[in-house]
Amino acid sequence: MIKYIFITGGVVSSLGKGVTAASLAAILESRGLRVTMLKLDPYINVDPGTMSPFQHGEVFVTEDGAETDLDLGHYERFISTKMTRLNNFTTGQIYDSVIKKERRGDYLGNTVQVIPHITNEIQEFIVRGANNSFEGNADIAIVEIGGTVGDIESLPFLEAARQMSLSLGRSNFVFMHLTLVPSVSSFSELKTKPTQHSVQKLREIGIFPDVILCRASRRISSEERAKISMFSNVPIESVISVWNVDSIYKVPSVLQEQRVDDIVCSTMLINPEPADLSIWRKLVDRIENPSCDIDIGMIGKYTDFTESYKSLIEAIAHAGIHTNSRVNIKYINSEDIEKNGTDLLKNLDGILVPGGFGNRGIEGKIMAINYARENKIPFLGICLGMQLAVVEFARNVAGLKNANSTEFDASTEFPVIALINEWKDISGQIERRSINSDKGGTLRKGAQSIFVMKNTKTHSIYGDSLYERHRHRYEVNNNYLKCLIDSGLIVSASTSSENLTEVIEIKDHPWFIGVQFHPEFTSTPRNGHPLFIDYVRAIINKKFIKSI
Ligand code: GLN
C-alpha cells in the first residue's frame, strides 16, 4: 500500500515548498524507497500552459507532453521517477471532470457539491497520480498542496487530504507544514507568531501536522523551536529548521541532518536502509570549488523574472557542475540590444537565446544571434532561439531579405518559420491547428525520438538518436529548406514522419547549435545534459585553451 506525505504551506507563498518536498523525496529515495510526487494547484486554469510566465514562472513539460507546474521540474531533478500529466492537477481540472460527469448523468440526480463530489474527485486524482509510477507499487507518494493554508481556494484540497488520511490509517500518512518564521530586521529575533497562527488554521480544519518545517533566513534556535513546539503541539524534534542556503542542492543535507527522514519513517512504521547523501554532497562540493568562471549572456524577455527560465538556469548550472566551472548568467533584455546595439554583448563568453512567445524584443534577439555567428561566439538557441537563428541565417546568409517567422510577420515575403497545419502527435494521432486554433493545447508537445545525422556536431553529442521534449507551434518551413541547406545551413536532426527540423548547426564556427526542442527539461544535477555540457565545454575551450 502506498503511504502518503502531504505537504502544506503557511504564512506566505514561495517558501520553496517544491524544493523542500523534492529534497525529502531525494533522501527517501536514497533509503531505497520507491518515491513519487504530486503537485495540486488551487487555481481554476486547466493547466499553466496559457498562464503568463510573469505570474506563474516556467511551464514544465513532461515526457508525455503535459504542461505542468514548475515544481515538477524540481521533482525530476531531485529524484529519478519521471513525472507525467497525472502528477499535477488543478482545481480547473477537478471541476472540469466533475462537470463532465454531471452532464453525463453519473450522479443520478443528486445535487453536486464541493463536499463530497469535488473532494472525492480530488482524492481519486491523488490516488490515480500516486499509482501512476512503479506500476502502482510506489512506497511513498509525496503530495504537495499548492497555495497557503487559510486561502479559500485551497480549502477543498486540504479537506480532501484530511478525509483521505482518515481512511488511510495512522501509519500510512504524514502531514508536514512548511511555514515562514520571519524576523523584522536581519539581526532581530525570529517571530514565531505567524507559524502559530498558521498551524491553528490547519487544526481548525482538522489537520494536525506531524512535522513543521520552519523556513527562516537563519538556523532557528532551540528556544524558538521549543516555543513553536509548545504552541503547535508538535514534538520539538519534529520542528525543523530550514534556513536559507546558497544552493538548492544543499537542502537534502539540511533536512537529513535534522533526521526528517527518520521522523517520517517512524511515523509510517517503516525502517528502510540508512540514507546516503554522498552524491548530493559531491555535487555541492563541485559547485563550491569550480576551477574556472565563464559568462553566458541569456538574451530574453523575462530577464527580471528568472522563475520563467527555471529549468534552463538549472541545466546551465548542471553543465557547470560537470565541467568544474562556474557559469555566470548575464540576463540581457533583447529590447536593450535593439535600443543600444550589440556592445552589450562584448564581454560574453557564450550567447544563449532561450524559448519564448510573442513579438517583443525579437529583432534584438536576431541581432544577438548575428553577433554570435559573425564573431564566432559559442551560441545555443532553444526553440524560439533556434527559429530566430534560422531567420538570421535566411536574411544574412541565404539572401532572403526580411525573412521572418509568421508568428511575428504574418505577411512576410519569406516565411522561413511557419505554422504547419497537420502533424502526428507523440501517440501517432493526427493533430490539426490553424491561426484561429485555441491557444490552450495546440502546441507540439512532449518527447519524441529523433534520428541524428552522422558526421555532425549534434551526432558527436547525442549519438544516433535523441529523445527530447517539445513545446511550440511554429516549425522551420520545409519550402525553404533546400535554399537554406544550399547556403550552408546544416540540419542535423529532423522528425522522420514530417521531416520537421529539430537541430541546426553552421559550419566554420566553434559552436553554433539551435534546437527546436527544450533540452533543459531533461537535465539533472546528477548527470547533467550532454548538449549543455558540450556547449559549456566549448566555451571553456575557446576562452582558456585557444587563447593560450
Ligand atoms: N513561439 C515559438 C513557437 O510557438 C517558440 C516557442 C518556444 O520557444 N517554446 O513555435
Side-chain angles (χ1 to χ4, degrees), residues 355-357 383-384 387 407 471-474 518:
F357 293 82
C383 208
L384 177 65
Q387 297 175 352
E407 182 176 6
R471 180 175 182 253
H472 66 280
R473 274 190 195 92
Y474 293 80
H518 290 272

Side-chain angles (χ1 to χ4, degrees), residues 94-384:
I94 295 291
Y95 274 82
D96 189 44
S97 173
V98 167
I99 289 168
K100 280 196 183 112
K101 285 185 182 171
E102 187 275 330
R103 293 289 80 189
R104 258 200 330 253
D106 289 7
Y107 299 115
L108 295 171
N110 278 330
T111 309
V112 181
Q113 294 175 300
V114 172
I115 300 172
H117 300 97
I118 294 296
T119 46
N120 283 353
E121 196 72 14
I122 294 171
Q123 291 182 63
E124 273 173 36
F125 271 53
I126 293 175
V127 171
R128 191 183 68 172
N131 279 281
N132 163 50
S133 310
F134 305 102
E135 291 163 352
N137 290 316
D139 297 308
I140 294 193
I142 300 186
V143 182
E144 182 191 342
I145 301 180
T148 307
V149 169
D151 292 350
I152 292 175
E153 51 178 22
S154 53
L155 261 181
F157 285 134
L158 296 170
E159 171 61 15
R162 185 195 66 78
Q163 290 179 13
M164 208 171 143
S165 68
L166 195 68
S167 56
L168 282 169
R170 187 54 281 223
S171 63
N172 293 319
F173 70 89
V174 170
F175 274 106
M176 302 179 97
H177 188 56
L178 174 68
T179 84
L180 178 68
V181 182
S183 61
V184 178
S185 70
S186 44
F187 297 107
S188 60
E189 58 169 340
L190 292 168
K191 297 288 185 191
T192 63
K193 188 81 76 193
T195 297
Q196 296 172 32
H197 284 172
S198 155
V199 174
Q200 272 169 18
K201 239 324 11 89
L202 259 185
R203 284 168 36 193
E204 260 170 41
I205 51 179
I207 292 177
F208 301 87
D210 302 291
V211 176
I212 300 183
L213 302 157
C214 305
R215 178 77 196 268
S217 54
R218 55 178 185 268
R219 202 187 265 260
I220 297 175
S221 69
S222 36
E223 292 77 47
E224 286 152 342
R225 285 174 54 226
K227 202 163 157 191
I228 293 172
S229 159
M230 189 185 63
F231 279 105
S232 55
N233 207 33
V234 169
I236 187 164
E237 321 72 77
S238 303
V239 178
I240 307 296
S241 177
V242 186
W243 57 90
N244 289 353
V245 281
D246 49 13
S247 162
I248 53 173
Y249 302 119
K250 288 183 179 171
V251 181
S253 301
V254 167
L255 299 181
Q256 211 266 325
E257 190 184 301
Q258 299 170 82
R259 311 178 71 98
V260 178
D261 51 321
D262 286 338
I263 297 166
V264 165
C265 290
S266 69
T267 311
M268 292 183 156
L269 307 180
I270 51 174
N271 188 18
E273 60 196 67
D276 175 9
L277 296 191
S278 50
I279 182 166
W280 298 100
R281 278 192 212 103
K282 221 180 283 163
L283 287 176
V284 168
D285 185 57
R286 287 216 196 162
I287 292 170
E288 289 182 335
N289 299 295
S291 50
C292 63
D293 260 67
I294 57 166
D295 295 336
I296 291 183
M298 187 143 116
I299 321 297
K301 182 162 72 168
Y302 306 115
T303 47
D304 294 332
F305 190 67
T306 52
E307 285 287 287
S308 49
Y309 298 119
K310 193 103 230 165
S311 294
L312 184 51
I313 294 167
E314 289 304 315
I316 293 169
H318 303 159
I321 295 174
H322 291 273
T323 52
N324 287 321
S325 58
R326 180 186 294 120
V327 187
N328 307 306
I329 302 179
K330 308 277 178 207
Y331 298 98
I332 297 171
N333 189 332
S334 52
E335 285 174 312
D336 292 342
I337 303 177
E338 287 170 10
K339 275 184 234 132
N340 306 320
T342 51
D343 269 7
L344 281 171
L345 310 173
K346 256 190 179 144
N347 298 319
L348 298 172
D349 304 313
I351 290 180
L352 191 155
V353 177
F357 293 82
N359 241 326
R360 256 179 52 205
I362 289 298
E363 290 302 321
K365 292 181 187 174
I366 295 174
M367 287 164 77
I369 295 168
N370 176 263
Y371 179 89
R373 186 175 58 76
E374 290 187 343
N375 294 287
K376 305 212 182 298
I377 315 284
F379 167 79
L380 173 59
I382 295 178
C383 208
L384 177 65

Side-chain angles (χ1 to χ4, degrees), residues 21-31 35 78-79 252 277 280 526:
S23 299
L24 172 62
I27 307 172
L28 296 174
E29 190 178 80
S30 86
R31 299 192 63 165
V35 187
F78 278 86
I79 59 171
L277 296 191
W280 298 100
R526 299 177 214 208

Side-chain angles (χ1 to χ4, degrees), residues 11 40 64 86 97 122 221 248 345 349 385 433 441 467 492 524:
V11 184
L40 279 45
D64 63 346
L86 301 182
S97 173
I122 294 171
S221 69
I248 53 173
L345 310 173
D349 304 313
R433 68 182 149 200
Y467 187 61
S492 49
T524 64

Side-chain angles (χ1 to χ4, degrees), residues 286 291-296 315-327 349-350 377-380 457 460-462 510-512 527-547:
R286 287 216 196 162
S291 50
C292 63
D293 260 67
I294 57 166
D295 295 336
I296 291 183
I316 293 169
H318 303 159
I321 295 174
H322 291 273
T323 52
N324 287 321
S325 58
R326 180 186 294 120
V327 187
D349 304 313
I377 315 284
F379 167 79
L380 173 59
K457 203 185 276 303
S460 73
I461 296 167
Y462 279 101
W511 209 99
F512 189 106
N527 304 321
H529 184 291
L531 187 69
F532 287 101
I533 293 176
D534 205 70
Y535 174 52
V536 167
R537 201 170 276 143
I539 295 174
I540 297 171
N541 283 345
K542 182 161 187 291
K543 181 168 182 181
F544 297 104
I545 302 181
K546 298 254 172 67
S547 61

